[in-house]
Amino acid sequence: MDSKKLLIWGGIAVVALAALFLIMRPAGGGAGAENVSASRAAELAAAGVRVIDVRTPGEFETSHVPGAENVPMDALSTEAAGWDPAEPLLIYCATGARSAQAVQYLEAQGFETIYHLDAGLVAWEGELEKGTQVAPMPPDAVPAGTPVMYEFFTDW
Amino acid sequence: MKPVVDRLKQDYEGTVEFRLYDVDRSQEGQELMRQFGAQYVPTFVFLNSDGTEVDRVVGESSEEDMRAILDSLK
């Protein structure tokens, strides 16, 4: 009889521990930061989550998520020093590389809720606010007799 | 991408002109990028000698693909 009781109580203990583990397990795979899809990011932006675009001012001006603030990587530490760490943030860049560094930095600074559009703006499916001065072919860009490869890059 | 671009520059010297802009530092680069309507970095824009745009690569790309585009330029 005693061994039966022991088995029952042992079983209950195992189930309770498993339930506790499932409840306590952190959601989203990271403390404070969660990678989100473009559709989830759009929902968050629509719900009023503060959206931070860490690309360069030139990229930002061309197009960006509606309502986003432009905080280029080199200005992030200065700007973020004045932010409330409890305020949820949605971070993005073009392809997710720069924003991953931004997320890492913000996590280290104690920001509690960070949503990261890890696929970048290239994955964005919604409308974008566009710049106003986009021309199809800049006159300065026309080659002088030889083919040309342009590269626009940053050090980040 | 820098090592790839460096190799391409070396191999295509004289046949293709390379115009590379660090848009964090170059005002001209930012202006051109906006005029091209390029939204992301890195962005590569390939033009024939008559100015027609042949291809545009956004983000990382393989050296093989870049060479294929460069070889197709006229």
Side-chain angles (χ1 to χ4, degrees):
Chain A
M1 282 296 263
D2 279 346
S3 62
K4 258 189 180 178
K5 274 186 179 174
L6 199 67
L7 269 175
I8 290 167
W9 280 112
I12 290 170
V14 167
V15 171
L17 277 172
L20 195 66
F21 174 76
L22 283 174
I23 291 166
M24 300 293 284
R25 193 174 57 172
E34 180 187 347
N35 288 336
V36 295
S37 66
S39 55
R40 174 82 178 121
E43 287 172 13
L44 291 164
V49 170
R50 188 175 184 182
V51 185
I52 306 296
D53 181 327
V54 298
R55 298 174 304 153
T56 62
E59 291 176 274
F60 182 82
E61 196 183 319
T62 304
S63 73
H64 52 264
V65 170
E69 298 167 46
N70 185 212
V71 182
M73 287 300 291
D74 55 3
L76 184 65
S77 57
T78 316
E79 292 288 327
W83 297 347
D84 176 6
E87 185 182 13
L89 301 171
L90 169 62
I91 311 290
Y92 75 89
C93 67
T95 59
R98 283 172 286 175
S99 52
Q101 294 177 32
V103 166
Q104 212 172 9
Y105 174 77
L106 292 168
E107 270 190 300
Q109 300 306 307
F111 281 80
E112 293 163 15
T113 309
I114 307 166
Y115 300 104
H116 180 212
L117 176 56
D118 61 326
L121 192 61
V122 289
W124 186 259
E125 292 154 356
E127 284 190 14
L128 293 170
E129 280 181 6
K130 290 187 182 299
T132 53
Q133 296 176 22
V134 178
M137 173 62 68
D140 297 347
V142 177
T146 49
V148 176
M149 184 191 94
Y150 279 93
E151 182 192 8
F152 301 104
F153 66 97
T154 66
D155 276 343
W156 285 97
Chain B
M1 285 302 288
K2 191 173 183 309
V4 172
V5 173
D6 285 346
R7 275 198 296 276
L8 295 175
K9 269 175 74 178
Q10 207 168 14
D11 291 353
Y12 288 85
E13 192 184 354
T15 54
V16 177
E17 185 185 339
F18 288 79
R19 299 181 184 175
L20 314 178
Y21 293 95
D22 181 343
V23 292
D24 275 337
R25 295 188 172 85
S26 164
Q27 195 70 37
E28 187 191 354
Q30 280 190 22
E31 180 63 23
L32 273 169
M33 190 175 169
R34 197 174 72 244
Q35 289 180 2
F36 268 120
Q39 300 175 24
Y40 311 111
V41 285
T43 289
F44 301 86
V45 183
F46 299 87
L47 305 180
N48 274 337
S49 54
D50 63 0
T52 53
E53 184 173 329
V54 175
D55 210 338
R56 186 176 290 218
V57 173
V58 179
E60 301 284 311
S61 181
S62 73
E63 184 169 345
E64 193 184 349
D65 289 346
M66 300 281 279
R67 284 182 185 277
I69 299 168
L70 288 166
D71 287 338
S72 74
L73 295 179
K74 296 170 189 164

